[in-house]
Each structure stands twice: as structure tokens, then as C-alpha cells.
Amino acid sequence: GENVEQHPSTLSVQEGDSAVIKCTYSDSASNYFPWYKQELGKRPQLIIDIRSNVGEKKDQRIAVTLNKTAKHFSLHITETQPEDSAVYFCAASKGGGFKTIFGAGTRLFVKA
Amino acid sequence: SAVISQKPSRDICQRGTSLTIQCQVDSQVTMMFWYRQQPGQSLTLIATANQGSEATYESGFVIDKFPISRPNLTFSTLTVSNLSPEDSSIYLCSDKTGGTDTQYFGPGTRLTVL
């Protein structure tokens, strides 16, 4: 069935360093790839998304890249700050009425 | 994006009882979903709440345990029935507006079953 694998499960970086989270999806028909940030005790918040007709998208310190051939997509956070510490979930969807499949999550720690 | 609210935000229930969670969206949305998130885990889809018809359940979730209502385009309820400690979790509703794929989440309901 549809599956999204996410790595690593835990990531610890020093403040100011970059963080990269990688995901792989199984359904080649997937065309929408959102990323969510979930702080402790809070709801998941959409932070960036990308569609299959785009290879890269940036929003300030956050960027997402997509390789459709390899069915890989990645989240890049530059100049990390302590407030970036959270759990990040990648997801994939075929859009429209199809459900969204979530990765297992990456717990990011940014050390001051 | 639509503003999503949930009630209650948390509850402690005795085993064998039921809890009904309400989800309200401030604008009409096409699709509403119910998720479960166990501590330290990802989001697991329970069902898609369909307006005016029965919900569509994912594998491992059944209507008798998780009855869902969606009487209109802005409101849905999830009932967790015959509670056991294994049902202790966070339950989140989510919406998707027609014409977009973007999905937003409610604040969640933290359920503890004793």
C-alpha cells in the first residue's frame, strides 16, 4: 500500500547549522507533498508544501526539494534556531479526494 | 485557511464509557478527517467524515467503535465508544477545502482513559 518513509527519526544540530530531513514515497501518482511542524502539545502546522511540477521551493530559511524520479523529497532548514526544535512530519498525497499519508516524524533538537 | 476548533480540549474518562469530540470549522469545507496521534507517534487516519453520508473508515477502524457524524459542511463529531486504556491518545480533526490540497488541523483532544 501507500507508504512514506522518513529519516532520521531524531536529529540534533547546533544553533546556526543546517538540518535536513528526507522522505521517500511509494506511490508514483502522488503529486502534493506538505511538511508539518508540531511543537510539544500543539497541533501540526503546515510550514511548506511542494507540488510535483516543481523541483524546489523556498520560504526564508526553509526549503523543500523534490526528485520525482527517485520518489524522494527533503526539507532543508538553514541557520537553525532553538525555536525550530519540534517534530517535523512529511506527507504525500495524490490530491483531490485522496487521503494524505504521513511519515513517522523527525524530532529535531537545536542546541543553543 | 479555515479556523478549526475542537471540544473538549481534554478529558479523563472511565473505561467502558464513551466520549464525543466536536469539530467546528468557521467556513464550509469539502472534506473533514479524524486522526489519532498516540504519544510520540505519527498521525493515523481514522476516517473521512462525509457530509450527508456514512464516514469512510481506514483499515483497523470500525464504525461501532468510532461512530462519526457530519450533519453539515462545517461540523463533525467523533465518538470513541466502549473506552479502554488503549484509547488514550490525542484525537485531531482536519479539513481540506475544495480546490486545494492543503490540510489544516484542529488543536486536538487529549483523551485519558482510566
Side-chain angles (χ1 to χ4, degrees), chain B residues 91-107:
Chain B
Y91 293 85
L92 298 118
C93 69
S94 176
D95 80 323
K96 187 188 289 190
T97 303
T100 78
D101 296 317
T102 308
Q103 203 169 327
Y104 296 96
F105 287 87

Side-chain angles (χ1 to χ4, degrees), chain A residues 14-56:
Chain A
Q14 205 66 38
E15 182 178 2
D17 287 351
S18 295
V20 181
I21 302 170
K22 299 182 179 181
C23 291
T24 304
Y25 60 99
S26 61
D27 191 338
S28 56
S30 296
N31 58 16
Y32 176 66
F33 307 92
W35 286 87
Y36 290 84
K37 174 184 180 183
Q38 188 175 32
E39 296 175 90
L40 189 64
K42 302 287 183 62
R43 74 185 83 188
Q45 298 268 21
L46 179 72
I47 56 171
I48 195 168
D49 55 13
I50 191 169
R51 298 189 182 277
S52 58
N53 59 348
V54 174
E56 183 175 1

Side-chain angles (χ1 to χ4, degrees), chain A residues 12 17 22 29 32-33 49 52-54 56-59 62 64 71 77 79 82 86 91-92 98 101-102 108:
Chain A
S12 184
D17 287 351
K22 299 182 179 181
Y32 176 66
F33 307 92
D49 55 13
S52 58
N53 59 348
V54 174
E56 183 175 1
K57 184 177 179 181
K58 286 184 181 179
D59 183 2
I62 293 173
V64 58
K71 291 190 281 187
I77 306 173
E79 301 173 24
F98 291 96
I101 310 297
F102 287 86
L108 174 64

